[in-house]
Amino acid sequence: MNRLLEPIYEFLACETPHQWVDAALSQPEIMLVDHCNCEKKAANTAISLIFKYTERQQLLMKMSKLAREELRHFEQVLQLMKKRNIKYVDLSASRYASKLFKHCRKTEPESLVDRLIVGAFIEARSCERFAKIAPHLDQELEKFYLSLLKSESRHFRDYLNLAQEYSDEPIENRVELFRQVERQLILSKDKEFRFHSGIPSN
C-alpha cells in the first residue's frame, strides 16, 4: 500500500486534516452517499471527455476504461448502502471540483490539459482519503476502501500522463497552480461535510 500511496503524497500539497476524518466517522451515511455521487461524477467526467475529444485516440481508450471502473465502484457503493439500509438521497455538491475547474483555461488544447490535471488531483485526493479513513472503519468498509486504492492511483497517473501528452509545453507550472488551489480547499472550512470537503466549520 505504501508503494501506491507514495506518489500520491508527493503529488498533493497536504494530507487530509484529522477534523475531516472525525466528521466522516460521525456522518457515515452521508460519507457513503456522497462517495456514491463521486463515483457517478467521475464516470460522467470520463464520458464527457470521450464525447468532446473524439480525435484523441489515447484519451478515448483510457477514459473508456476509467468510466467502466468508476461505474463498477458506483454499483459497489450502492450495494453497500442497500445492505446497510442507507437511502440514496440527493445531496448538494461540495465546492471542491467546481472551484478547481474554475481555474481551467478556455482555449484548446490548454482547456483539455487543465481538465486532465484537475482530474488527476480529484483522483489523487480520493485515493488519499480512502487510505486515511479506512483504518477507522468496520472490517467490510475498510476492506472495500483499501481495494479501491490500486485503481484510483492508476486513474491519477493516467490523467497526469495524458495532460503532459496533450500539452505543447511542460505542465509543471499548471500542476503547481492547481496544487495550491487544491490545498486551500482541503485546509479551509466548509459548512457541510462531503467526501471532498474541507475542515468542518462546526
Side-chain angles (χ1 to χ4, degrees), residues 13-172:
C14 67
E15 291 189 29
T16 292
H18 68 85
Q19 296 97 319
W20 180 88
V21 176
D22 292 340
L25 295 175
S26 68
Q27 303 174 75
E29 293 188 359
I30 291 180
M31 182 186 72
L32 279 174
V33 172
D34 200 51
H35 177 191
C36 200
N37 284 337
C38 289
E39 300 293 357
K40 181 171 62 175
K41 291 173 185 176
N44 185 63
T45 295
I47 292 170
S48 70
L49 289 171
I50 289 173
F51 275 96
K52 186 172 178 61
Y53 299 101
T54 54
E55 76 284 3
R56 307 281 192 178
Q57 182 69 22
Q58 188 177 4
L59 180 145
L60 298 181
M61 296 301 293
K62 292 287 187 182
M63 291 299 106
S64 177
K65 182 177 180 180
L66 189 150
R68 294 196 302 273
E69 289 184 339
E70 301 290 18
L71 284 174
R72 176 55 183 156
H73 297 163
F74 171 72
E75 294 169 2
Q76 289 174 310
V77 181
L78 278 178
Q79 289 170 354
L80 282 169
M81 290 166 54
K82 181 179 180 180
K83 186 176 181 180
R84 294 163 185 252
N85 295 315
I86 300 173
K87 293 183 179 180
Y88 190 14
V89 298
D90 290 331
L91 288 178
S92 59
S94 71
R95 61 190 176 126
Y96 180 81
S98 63
K99 291 291 186 182
L100 286 171
F101 282 116
K102 185 179 179 180
H103 292 269
C104 291
R105 292 167 289 183
K106 304 301 181 184
T107 56
E108 295 291 358
E110 293 81 9
S111 178
L112 171 59
V113 171
D114 284 355
R115 291 177 68 182
L116 291 168
I117 292 172
V118 168
F121 274 102
I122 294 173
E123 296 291 340
R125 181 58 64 185
S126 297
C127 189
E128 188 262 352
R129 290 206 158 168
F130 291 144
K132 195 84 170 184
I133 193 70
H136 304 281
L137 301 174
D138 62 70
Q139 187 174 9
E140 182 181 43
L141 270 183
E142 178 184 14
K143 182 179 179 180
F144 172 59
Y145 273 27
L146 291 178
S147 75
L148 298 178
L149 294 181
K150 186 175 181 178
S151 60
E152 298 297 332
S153 63
R154 185 178 67 254
H155 296 168
F156 142 71
R157 291 193 300 271
D158 285 346
Y159 270 117
L160 202 59
N161 290 339
L162 286 171
Q164 185 61 78
E165 173 73 21
Y166 296 130
S167 179
D168 296 330
E169 58 188 10
I171 64 172
E172 284 77 12

Side-chain angles (χ1 to χ4, degrees), residues 186-199:
I186 293 300
L187 297 182
S188 58
K189 292 185 177 181
D190 265 318
K191 292 182 179 179
E192 295 180 314
F193 166 76
R194 296 292 184 267
F195 200 84
H196 289 99
S197 58
I199 298 173

